[in-house]
């Protein structure tokens, strides 16, 4: 996945259990030149979203030590969400722990909330200004190893009143 904001683009995601993205860098779309240094968050980048103004990028990071499918039968793995300045390469505050591996991120239309869909079927919302996380639902389902290549997705409605999460299980949460 390539999160894009206006003139910036950065790589995130994974394509198999041996081919994981562990760093990213923002690039200017028009020139292809780096917009800042490489960002190395200390885990596997599962997803990323730029702020509306491009002043920060939120990264969903897996810290699951063993990402083979058998590891996910017992839990949804582990991870956190991190905020970074894409131009300076500086992390903005401490990582925010998630109930399991964060798979999909979405930005609220106001720019003040980040939605997170986690691997064990949990939905979390992070307040950007104070970095507090609120669990919206927590079904504690064992992660489906077959869904490892489908990150799980989330999106807010245009007015921000509804958030949908889907892709890891046969459920859609609203």
């Amino acid at each position: 996945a390539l999160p894009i904001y206006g003139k910036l683009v950065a790589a995130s995601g994974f394509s198999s259990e041996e081919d994981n993205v562990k760093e990213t860098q923002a690039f200017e779309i028009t020139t292809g030149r780096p917009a800042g240094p490489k960002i190395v968050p200390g885990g596997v980048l599962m997803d990323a979203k730029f702020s509306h103004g491009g002043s920060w990028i939120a990264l969903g990071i897996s810290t699951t030590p063993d990402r083979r499918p058998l590891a996910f039968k017992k839990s949804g793995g582990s991870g956190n969400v991190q905020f970074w300045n894409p131009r300076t390469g500086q992390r903005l505050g401490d990582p925010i722990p998630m109930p399991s591996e964060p798979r999909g991120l979405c930005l609220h239309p106001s720019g003040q909330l980040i939605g997170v869909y986690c691997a064990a079927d949990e939905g979390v919302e992070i307040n950007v200004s104070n970095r507090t996380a609120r669990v919206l639902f927590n079904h504690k389902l064992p992660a489906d190893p077959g869904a490892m290549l489908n990150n799980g997705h989330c999106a807010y409605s245009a007015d921000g009143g509804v958030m949908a999460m889907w892709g890891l299980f046969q459920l859609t949460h609203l």
Side-chain angles (χ1 to χ4, degrees):
L2 293 174
I4 298 173
Y5 172 76
K7 299 179 182 180
L8 300 176
V9 64
S12 70
F14 65 103
S15 59
S16 74
E17 62 186 80
E18 283 108 27
D19 189 18
N20 298 313
V21 176
K22 294 186 179 179
E23 62 183 39
T24 192
Q25 186 172 18
F27 289 87
E28 298 284 348
I29 291 175
T30 55
T31 66
R33 293 189 183 125
K38 287 184 179 179
I39 295 172
V40 183
V44 177
L45 278 75
M46 304 303 290
D47 199 6
K49 290 292 178 264
F50 279 106
S51 66
H52 291 309
S55 62
W56 53 260
I57 186 170
L59 305 177
I61 306 299
S62 170
T63 57
T64 307
D66 177 3
R67 297 201 73 256
R68 291 179 296 174
L70 285 176
F72 286 93
K73 286 191 175 190
K74 295 180 181 176
S75 76
S78 61
N80 58 64
V81 172
Q82 301 177 17
F83 290 84
W84 291 75
N85 180 320
R87 296 205 182 268
T88 67
Q90 297 295 307
R91 192 173 70 205
L92 307 172
D94 293 332
I96 302 163
M98 293 291 108
S100 63
E101 189 174 83
R103 292 293 185 89
L105 304 178
C106 56
L107 181 62
H108 189 273
S110 71
Q112 297 305 306
L113 300 168
I114 292 279
V116 186
Y117 190 24
C118 296
D121 201 30
E122 301 103 350
V124 178
E125 197 168 58
I126 298 171
N127 181 309
V128 173
S129 61
N130 63 17
R131 306 292 198 266
T132 57
R134 174 174 72 115
V135 176
L136 303 175
F137 60 88
N138 186 346
H139 295 146
K140 293 201 180 283
L141 295 173
D144 178 3
M148 286 182 66
L149 293 180
N150 180 354
N151 255 6
H153 302 281
C154 61
Y156 285 96
S157 61
D159 67 359
V162 177
M163 179 172 47
M165 297 184 174
W166 70 96
L168 290 172
F169 298 91
Q170 295 178 349
L171 305 170
T172 298
H173 302 284
L174 297 174

